[in-house]
Amino acid sequence: MNKSRVEAFNDAVIAIILTIMVLEFKTPNSLQLSALTPQFPYLISYAIGYLFIGTAWYNHHFIFSKTKVLSKRIYWANNFWLFATSFIPVATSWVGKGINARGPETFYSLVYLLWFLSYSILSRTIVSENYRHGHQDVALNIKNTTVHQLTIHWYSWLILVIAMILSIIFLPALQMAVITVQILINAVNTPKDADSLFESN
């Protein structure tokens, strides 16, 4: 299977997702700056969603650049990851209409957990396939990334789920803060060789 074609498909889907998200930000009819005030909740939601996708793409691009194998198992795990990611614009838009409402915030939590699961499956599959084909160094490199470590340990899931449930019960908007903190952890703790890898590409 041609890796560059799959990567091009990934980039196209991500570009469409980002385009859909920004198009939800409506141009005000008024020429007053205050006309943006009603859209402020969506602006917050959009900023978090953009950070989410930007961080997800960076880590996803890293593991795809590293892998020496692209099997059918990886292909379908990657499709599941794209499927989960494609829900972000819907969740972002709904939260923007009610940033402290339980319905939208619960849905955003479910979308994030689905994405978390899909990334875990994808990174585990890439690791196992590279091990299986004798590329232990690649498998270990991907296995040691922060995102992989966060998604494979049960306590990461437990902390995330408890934090989301508590925030949705007591202050729904707080769960966006919980998600943002985890996204920032993934954004800051990128692999040490990531920048040099991208420069060589």
Side-chain angles (χ1 to χ4, degrees), residues 63-74:
I63 63 175
F64 254 72
S65 296
K66 280 289 185 180
T67 186
K68 300 292 184 184
V69 182
L70 188 56
S71 63
K72 190 183 291 185
R73 288 181 65 222
I74 293 175

Side-chain angles (χ1 to χ4, degrees), residues 33-45:
L33 189 60
S34 59
L36 290 173
T37 304
Q39 295 196 70
F40 190 68
Y42 181 75
L43 185 59
I44 295 173
S45 181

